[in-house]
Amino acid sequence: MSNNQTDDSSKFNRRKFLNGILPIVAGAATLPSWAADAPIKNMEEGQEFPNADSFPGLITREKEPVNLEFPFPTLKSHIIPNNRFFIRTHFPIPKIEAASWELSIEGEVRKEFKINYEELRKLPSKTVMATIECAGNSRSFLIPRAKGLLWEQGGVGNAEWTGVPLSVLLDKAGIKDGTIEIILEGKDQGEVNEEPKSPGTIHFARSLSLAKARQPEVLIAYQMNGKDLSPEHGFPVRAIIPGYYGMASVKWLTRITATVSQYEGYWQTLEYAYWKRKNGLPTLTAVTAIQVKSEIARPVLHEIIPAGKPYRIFGAAWTGDSEIQQVEISTDNGITWLIATLLDKAIPFAWRFWEYNWTVSTVPGRYKLLSRATDKQGNVQPQKHDPDRRNYMVNFIESIEVEVE
Ligand SMILES: Nc1nc2c(c(=O)[nH]1)N[C@H]1C(S)=C(S)[C@@H](COP(=O)(O)O)O[C@H]1N2
Ligand SMILES: [Mo]
């Protein structure tokens, strides 16, 4: 596979950059600092376009398109470094040059407009920490085996995202009365050939309610943990929708559309949708808010633990639009529950680490360890997966069986 920048960047010299991209500026002295040193690109010279082999620290779930899982038992830092953050793609990563990229804001707006990378980066920005979990995370624990990518615990990560609040762009365009949703569309495209099949070639796209789109934490982001986005995480620009499962955070964003009707695209009807019961009738509804969840990073499944000694059970807990209130641990398969210690402080939309110092029994044998999180709205992790959720929103209490000897 060739370097994505080769074709374009050889043509993309500094002159073109200055003449074509920044027609208003007089010279290099007035370039913003991020643009001053080089043509915009986010990969080192000669580096391969990312593929499954580019990330030795991640578990390959699928090679093409690339889907890589974070090995959750290695969890240690509250922020996951960019090269260790899980990657979820449905189509090949699009090769985008920042210099020719544009974002179009259209639909039910008073003034449609297009904005380029340089202009976007001049708008007021903010940084938000957010845990992104794939709606299919933990799917491999469903019995019988579910359809879809078989994530274990690591289709989740936490990072700091920097960008322009979506509301700034919406205000610039002037949303018309009657608008109920904002559709976010990515540049990536393809045809889904397995059931449910797509209607030919489609883009990845998702809608948000106008109310959520206007929330101050919702970003049109260009940086992850202080670095420009990498191709696999959405370069040059992606949405970040804190509190929602990952599918809402559309990468490689090219178009934002305001609409007066409910969008019923592929990625929120045939995929990433669940049966919500309304007035007793199951209604196919787009997956949105993250459900309260905790995961045990250590011990790992089938770990051998010395009897009668202390052992530190450690993990993370997160929820959607609320805050983790409590994590409980059971070392006897759910008969008794004990309160774990929440570490670090609560940050909205970010996971929280916890620990429990277990005095391991002197009796050898198999022990099932469970963790159960509760959030401030009183949501608690369920015992079992609700089949109405299909193969999404898997937050039922996981059990880690260990051998005490
Ligand atoms: N354009 C586009 N955006 C996308 C996707 C995609 O396939 N195409 N995958 C979504 C899904 S399902 C998830 S879980 C997150 C994952 O973000 P990450 O790859 O940066 O971890 O991106 C979302 N945004
Ligand atoms: Mo996802």
Side-chain angles (χ1 to χ4, degrees):
M1 192 180 247
S2 72
N3 185 314
N4 78 313
Q5 305 284 353
T6 323
D7 294 350
D8 293 335
S9 62
S10 53
K11 284 182 265 156
F12 181 68
N13 58 33
R14 191 164 181 88
R15 173 171 295 277
K16 179 181 164 201
F17 178 62
L18 292 174
N19 290 348
I21 313 305
L22 295 170
I24 335 125
V25 299
T30 53
L31 283 174
S33 63
W34 56 266
D37 35 18
I40 308 155
K41 55 193 263 177
N42 67 330
M43 285 197 293
E44 301 299 327
E45 207 67 58
Q47 194 179 320
E48 285 288 304
F49 194 67
N51 61 40
D53 303 326
S54 318
F55 303 90
L58 297 177
I59 305 160
T60 302
R61 292 281 168 232
E62 195 175 355
K63 275 201 147 173
E64 283 173 28
V66 59
N67 282 293
L68 308 180
E69 174 165 348
F70 171 68
F72 198 76
T74 67
L75 184 71
K76 52 171 189 264
S77 57
H78 194 252
I79 298 266
I80 302 294
N82 294 2
N83 64 355
R84 299 267 286 160
F85 204 95
F86 82 99
I87 299 168
R88 176 73 176 110
T89 64
H90 295 83
F91 298 129
I93 298 172
K95 300 181 179 184
I96 307 178
E97 220 189 312
S100 54
W101 172 88
E102 274 185 332
L103 175 62
S104 165
I105 291 92
E106 51 190 75
E108 298 297 318
V109 296
R110 281 191 286 282
K111 197 179 68 196
E112 296 193 338
F113 68 93
K114 288 192 163 82
I115 186 164
N116 69 26
Y117 189 63
E118 189 229 340
E119 291 162 342
L120 184 80
R121 293 200 56 150
K122 281 189 187 147
L123 291 178
S125 70
K126 67 194 266 190
T127 298
V128 172
M129 191 186 285
T131 294
I132 305 281
E133 183 185 17
C134 182
N137 187 35
S138 304
R139 186 179 284 152
S140 68
F141 306 128
L142 293 177
I143 297 168
R145 176 177 291 241
K147 255 185 54 154
L149 213 59
L150 291 177
W151 300 107
E152 292 180 1
Q153 297 172 298
V156 61
N158 183 59
E160 278 190 323
W161 311 93
T162 302
V164 178
L166 174 55
S167 65
V168 169
L169 297 179
L170 298 181
D171 289 346
K172 231 166 114 78
I175 299 298
K176 285 191 188 159
D177 287 353
T179 297
I180 61 164
E181 286 192 351
I182 302 297
I183 307 171
L184 307 173
E185 189 178 324
K187 176 153 191 193
D188 53 331
Q189 54 166 44
E191 191 167 345
V192 183
N193 290 314
E194 289 157 31
E195 292 297 339
K197 289 185 177 153
S198 63
T201 298
I202 57 168
H203 286 271
F204 187 87
R206 285 277 307 192
S207 73
L208 287 177
S209 70
L210 180 61
K212 179 71 182 179
R214 284 197 189 282
Q215 292 304 305
E217 69 275 7
V218 170
L219 296 184
I220 301 305
Y222 45 75
Q223 286 195 328
M224 175 178 186
N225 296 329
K227 294 228 171 72
D228 291 355
L229 287 175
S230 55
E232 65 280 6
H233 292 298
F235 181 82
V237 171
R238 74 177 302 171
I240 288 294
I241 318 295
Y244 277 16
Y245 282 108
M247 77 279 122
S249 293
V250 176
K251 302 190 275 190
W252 313 295
L253 200 63
T254 52
R255 187 152 69 129
I256 297 177
T257 308
T259 157
V260 289
S261 59
Q262 201 170 311
Y263 174 62
E264 290 177 341
Y266 181 89
W267 303 105
Q268 57 198 62
T269 53
L270 294 181
E271 291 282 9
Y272 297 111
Y274 69 106
W275 295 110
K276 185 173 182 171
R277 294 190 185 253
K278 293 177 186 165
N279 308 315
L281 293 170
T283 307
L284 203 54
T285 306
V287 171
T288 54
I290 293 180
Q291 306 296 305
V292 66
K293 184 163 173 178
S294 61
E295 289 186 352
I296 298 174
R298 290 184 288 282
V300 297
L301 190 59
H302 306 309
E303 189 169 319
I304 294 168
I305 294 180
K309 301 240 171 75
Y311 185 99
R312 178 181 182 252
I313 305 173
F314 167 74
W318 57 91
T319 186
D321 196 10
S322 183
E323 200 180 279
I324 290 298
Q325 163 118 337
Q326 169 175 280
V327 173
E328 298 158 287
I329 297 298
S330 174
T331 58
D332 56 11
N333 197 24
I335 299 163
T336 52
W337 292 90
L338 296 148
I339 292 178
T341 306
L342 294 173
L343 306 171
D344 52 67
K345 61 179 195 306
I347 299 171
F349 309 112
W351 62 19
R352 209 164 169 187
F353 284 179
W354 53 262
E355 66 178 10
Y356 178 78
N357 291 309
W358 180 25
T359 308
V360 183
S361 166
T362 51
V363 185
R366 287 199 189 136
Y367 289 78
K368 275 194 177 171
L369 309 186
L370 315 179
S371 68
R372 178 172 74 185
T374 305
D375 71 16
K376 286 219 160 131
Q377 291 170 357
N379 301 304
V380 190
Q381 285 184 256
Q383 301 265 20
K384 282 196 300 202
H385 184 69
D386 177 351
D388 281 356
R389 293 181 177 188
R390 305 167 72 212
N391 57 348
Y392 304 110
M393 305 189 278
V394 186
N395 72 329
F396 73 94
I397 300 166
E398 290 168 359
S399 88
I400 300 283
E401 196 175 72
V402 296
E403 307 272 343
V404 169
E405 54 173 57

